[in-house]
Amino acid sequence: MNKYSFRLTKEEVREFCIRAIWEQMLIRRFMWLLALASLALTYVLEAWIEMLGIVIVALLAFAAFIVWNNSVMKERLCGKTRTMEVEEGMLKLVTEGELYSEIPCSSFTEVRMTRHLLMLGLRQGSKLIAWYPIPLRVFADERERDSFVESIRNPQVRAGGRDAVSDMGEHGEASVTGFGAQAAERSEQEYFRLSFQIGEEEWVRMMTAATENLPARILEEKKGRSVWIALAAVCSVLLCGAAWVFPSAARLIYIMSYTGTIICLVLLWNLTRNPEKKIRAQIRRGIAQSNTWGVWNASVTEMGISQNVSGKNSVIMPWESLLCVVETDAELLFYQKDKKHFGVLPKAGMESREQIECLKGLCREKHVEVLVGKRKKYVPGWLFPLLIAIVMVGYVAAYVVLIHRDSGKDTAPDYVPLDRQISVLRSFGFTIPEEMEETLSAYVEKYELASFVESYPYTWLLSNLAWAEEEDWTEGAQDGTEVFWFDFEGWDIYTDYIRVLEGMQKLSVGSILDDVGNIQEDTGNMNWERGTGTITVSLEWNGQEHSWKMDVENDWIDAEVLGIYNGLLEKEGISERFYMTGDDGQGVFVFYCTGEWASEFEDATGLDMETYMVKKGW
């Protein structure tokens, strides 16, 4: 059977990382159900902004997880020669300067093919898969690749192929020493061997001790926790502040802040909780490596530490691959240089204390540091759930305040005196002569309209400016050339679109819209009895005819008509646009202005300014 030596490139590691994370996500059904439930709730409530915020945060979290894992995997996998071989029903793996391991081919239940990789999956629980990647470039052709896969799925079938090692490493190295020779060499000069039973309780104790004493946890104890807490707090404050400063994007920013803060707290909780409780929970959910329970055989040789699990999985750890040995009350933990993977020798399986001290002395001779393990202290289990609950309640309360503020903005500010309204409109360039102000004030007083005019500010006054031409007592105004008004429930649907476009054109005198002419309506596709169909609106500009279809809903005017001219203005690079705001009824006020003017007018009056855009047809 062929042996394949290779070094993974950065691109291959990135591809492996993305696919491995995606495969891991696919088997976590609860996560998908929670995501779908959240999206379904926002859909039912028609909370589209909240839905967008949840999707954005989820994608950002997924991307961040990929980036973080890629950085870890790149350091662990790149630059090291690995060799794989299938022999006698076992997949044998050698990592340069690190591990030699043998895994039964029957243990690999998952096979995935990506663009550049073949991935072999070893299930270590119902929700945990360990993946072993091999580049497709090491195979001569598809036939050889399929033969290798068949040797994994059916170890009794020996695939044919090349006799020499297919070495496709970065530097084209020659073949490493054969597996059999390595195993024989490592079995020489044995100091002692022992057997011990690993069941559920032993597994929990061993994994708890190993997790508590991981060299990689040094940064996670105090400094790491402070960084996470500070990061969550700063992000929360900044995003909430941004939501208040930028009200147009407040809800989106707020939902992103809320979701991101909860994710940070959950991750922090996961990093700092008592590992024993977490491990027992994993066993209950079928995530733990229950397939490794059974009789373990271990030996210490001149070459390193070897372990065999239940006569199946075998691992050899060379002395040069070890970072340190941590002694706890019940075992010796041999940590690899990646600061995470480890081997274990329980003290109970050794003959005497002298043998333990002898083994520690051998470790020092091999330049492996011997450390004393320490039990960690953990915060109470109820603290983080309580903290998360408090944060959730606080965010919900603040969100209610935010929604209340926005809903209060939908109705204009309460009780603005008429003279104040006139002053504000004058500051924005509206022509309101003194005699018009006196006439309006007298009219309000005579008919006792002060409460109505002041509690719904600006709309009554803008109505009078829009209809100045029709009213004798508003003599001196600009005949509706500063604001245009119409009711969406049309007066005559056969001519309403013409009237609206001409009214908007009157607002923009002196612009390129002066050249627009021959505005017409074609109601031939309208079914008046059913109140359905379309009305074709057409006009001429620069000698060419342009047309649009407006949806018919009885005698209601399609709001798309408000975006027709804006499409031309944008196409020609004109900064002004037509903006509109409601009149607290079913009518609308239309303005011709810049975006900056519209924003300032909205802040000063409390009237929401919107704009429509129709680009097609020009």
Side-chain angles (χ1 to χ4, degrees):
M1 176 59 65
N2 292 346
K3 291 185 289 188
Y4 300 98
S5 293
F6 56 88
R7 287 185 179 182
L8 292 172
T9 65
K10 294 180 180 178
E11 293 73 19
E12 290 168 342
V13 170
R14 187 184 306 112
E15 183 176 319
F16 166 67
C17 184
I18 293 174
R19 183 59 182 266
I21 292 175
W22 177 249
E23 291 289 339
Q24 193 64 39
M25 291 177 62
L26 289 178
I27 61 177
R28 295 186 176 271
R29 298 178 181 177
F30 177 77
M31 178 187 69
W32 289 102
L33 290 175
L34 182 61
L36 290 175
S38 300
L39 294 177
L41 179 61
T42 55
Y43 177 80
V44 171
L45 298 176
E46 296 185 356
W48 313 118
I49 295 179
E50 286 75 4
M51 179 185 292
L52 177 62
I54 292 173
V55 171
I56 290 176
V57 172
L59 292 177
L60 289 176
F62 180 66
F65 194 51
I66 288 178
V67 171
W68 179 77
N69 276 274
N70 182 66
S71 64
V72 174
M73 291 293 182
K74 185 169 59 176
E75 180 181 357
R76 186 181 303 171
L77 299 179
C78 287
K80 297 178 181 178
T81 300
R82 286 171 168 74
T83 305
M84 288 188 179
E85 177 187 18
V86 176
E87 184 177 4
E88 297 180 352
M90 305 290 286
L91 178 64
K92 301 182 178 182
L93 305 98
V94 173
T95 302
E96 179 184 9
E98 293 184 4
L99 294 175
Y100 167 78
S101 59
E102 296 181 357
I103 305 173
C105 292
S106 58
S107 299
F108 292 96
T109 58
E110 313 293 331
V111 177
R112 300 288 185 272
M113 197 91 67
T114 68
R115 183 179 179 184
H116 300 104
L117 297 172
L118 172 67
M119 295 170 54
L120 306 177
L122 175 64
R123 278 195 175 267
Q124 298 179 328
S126 63
K127 298 180 180 179
L128 184 64
I129 301 177
W131 293 99
Y132 295 81
I134 178 171
L136 295 177
R137 54 184 166 81
V138 303
F139 302 107
D141 49 36
E142 293 184 3
R143 181 178 179 181
E144 183 177 343
R145 179 201 66 196
D146 294 340
S147 176
F148 179 80
V149 173
E150 181 63 22
S151 68
I152 297 293
R153 290 175 171 165
N154 186 3
Q156 303 304 320
V157 178
R158 299 185 59 84
R162 294 174 295 171
D163 295 327
V165 174
S166 176
D167 187 349
M168 302 296 290
E170 291 180 1
H171 306 291
E173 296 90 353
S175 170
V176 296
T177 305
F179 285 112
Q182 287 182 340
E185 183 181 8
R186 283 169 169 76
S187 65
E188 294 177 354
Q189 302 182 31
E190 183 176 88
Y191 292 101
F192 67 89
R193 100 177 22 245
L194 66 155
S195 297
F196 49 94
Q197 180 75 31
I198 293 293
E200 180 176 327
E201 288 302 316
E202 292 80 9
W203 174 265
V204 171
R205 187 193 70 243
M206 180 179 71
M207 292 300 296
T208 300
T211 304
E212 286 183 331
N213 292 282
L214 280 177
R217 286 179 62 89
I218 295 175
L219 295 178
E220 297 176 3
E221 291 177 8
K222 293 183 179 179
K223 182 178 178 180
R225 297 179 188 179
S226 302
V227 169
W228 276 101
I229 294 174
L231 179 62
V234 170
C235 289
S236 178
V237 171
L238 289 179
L239 287 173
C240 287
W244 196 264
V245 173
F246 303 102
S248 60
R251 287 169 61 191
L252 176 61
I253 297 174
Y254 191 85
I255 290 298
M256 293 176 61
S257 171
Y258 168 74
T259 310
T261 301
I262 295 299
I263 290 176
C264 288
L265 288 175
V266 171
L267 289 175
L268 180 60
W269 182 24
N270 191 52
L271 288 173
T272 57
R273 65 191 298 193
N274 190 328
E276 180 179 347
K277 295 181 179 180
K278 180 180 179 181
I279 292 167
R280 292 190 183 278
Q282 290 176 337
I283 293 176
R284 288 194 301 270
R285 298 197 302 268
I287 302 178
Q289 294 173 289
S290 57
N291 61 327
T292 60
W293 300 350
V295 178
W296 287 38
N297 297 300
S299 63
V300 180
T301 70
E302 179 64 24
M303 299 302 298
I305 312 294
S306 65
Q307 288 186 329
N308 180 278
V309 181
S310 299
K312 298 179 180 179
N313 302 345
S314 298
V315 175
I316 297 178
M317 296 175 286
W319 291 111
E320 60 269 19
S321 72
L322 297 177
L323 174 68
C324 64
V325 177
V326 177
E327 180 182 9
T328 68
D329 295 336
E331 57 266 312
L332 294 174
L333 300 167
F334 297 81
Y335 286 98
Q336 297 287 304
K337 289 182 179 180
D338 62 7
K339 302 180 182 179
K340 293 189 177 183
H341 293 92
F342 66 94
V344 60
L345 292 179
K347 292 181 178 180
M350 301 183 190
E351 296 177 357
S352 62
R353 182 67 193 179
E354 289 73 17
Q355 191 178 45
I356 297 174
E357 293 300 325
C358 180
L359 177 57
K360 291 162 59 178
L362 178 62
C363 292
R364 294 187 182 96
E365 290 180 10
K366 299 298 183 180
H367 306 290
V368 178
E369 187 177 6
V370 179
L371 305 175
V372 178
K374 296 180 180 180
R375 294 287 298 180
K376 304 294 188 297
K377 294 182 179 180
Y378 300 96
V379 297
W382 51 264
L383 181 60
F384 268 97
L386 177 62
L387 179 60
I388 292 174
I390 292 174
V391 170
M392 292 178 68
V393 171
Y395 264 96
V396 170
Y399 188 68
V400 171
V401 173
L402 179 66
I403 294 298
H404 178 72
R405 184 196 71 170
D406 288 345
S407 63
K409 183 179 176 181
D410 291 339
T411 58
D414 290 341
Y415 298 103
V416 178
L418 179 59
D419 58 348
R420 171 61 182 164
Q421 298 180 40
I422 293 174
S423 176
V424 170
L425 292 186
R426 281 174 174 164
S427 69
F428 281 92
F430 289 91
T431 304
I432 307 177
E434 294 293 336
E435 59 272 21
M436 179 181 180
E437 179 179 1
E438 294 175 0
T439 302
L440 291 175
S441 298
Y443 185 86
V444 169
E445 183 177 356
K446 177 179 179 180
Y447 293 98
E448 298 181 352
L449 297 175
S451 177
F452 171 78
V453 172
E454 293 178 0
S455 60
Y456 295 94
Y458 302 104
T459 56
W460 183 79
L461 187 54
L462 287 171
S463 296
N464 283 282
L465 292 177
W467 287 92
E469 186 177 3
E470 303 294 333
E471 303 290 346
D472 296 336
W473 48 272
T474 56
E475 185 178 353
Q478 293 300 304
D479 298 336
T481 57
E482 294 167 346
V483 57
F484 170 66
W485 174 92
F486 70 91
D487 192 329
F488 276 113
E489 187 174 11
W491 294 335
D492 183 356
I493 199 65
Y494 295 99
T495 60
D496 282 334
Y497 289 101
I498 297 174
R499 182 176 62 85
V500 170
L501 290 175
E502 288 179 346
M504 295 170 65
Q505 194 175 6
K506 191 175 181 181
L507 292 178
S508 58
V509 173
S511 71
I512 61 173
L513 299 182
D514 290 345
D515 296 329
V516 171
N518 196 23
I519 303 175
Q520 296 183 9
E521 286 188 46
D522 182 357
T523 58
N525 293 324
M526 175 183 174
N527 188 324
W528 178 253
E529 292 182 358
R530 295 183 179 179
T532 59
T534 60
I535 294 177
T536 301
V537 177
S538 62
L539 55 81
E540 291 183 0
W541 184 74
N542 274 355
Q544 293 184 351
E545 182 177 299
H546 305 268
S547 62
W548 300 265
K549 292 186 181 297
M550 300 289 119
D551 291 332
V552 172
E553 186 177 349
N554 296 314
D555 59 348
W556 288 88
I557 299 173
D558 189 344
E560 288 290 298
V561 69
L562 291 168
I564 290 178
Y565 286 149
N566 283 338
L568 176 60
L569 293 171
E570 179 173 280
K571 176 183 176 182
E572 296 298 319
I574 308 300
S575 60
E576 285 81 4
R577 297 287 186 275
F578 286 96
Y579 284 81
M580 53 80 66
T581 186
D583 67 349
D584 293 321
Q586 57 189 31
V588 63
F589 297 109
V590 183
F591 308 86
Y592 180 69
C593 58
T594 63
E596 182 181 2
W597 188 96
S599 178
E600 293 175 356
F601 186 74
E602 179 178 85
D603 293 338
T605 63
L607 301 175
D608 288 332
M609 300 287 282
E610 300 180 29
T611 183
Y612 289 85
M613 180 70 65
V614 176
K615 296 182 179 181
K616 292 183 179 180
W618 291 106

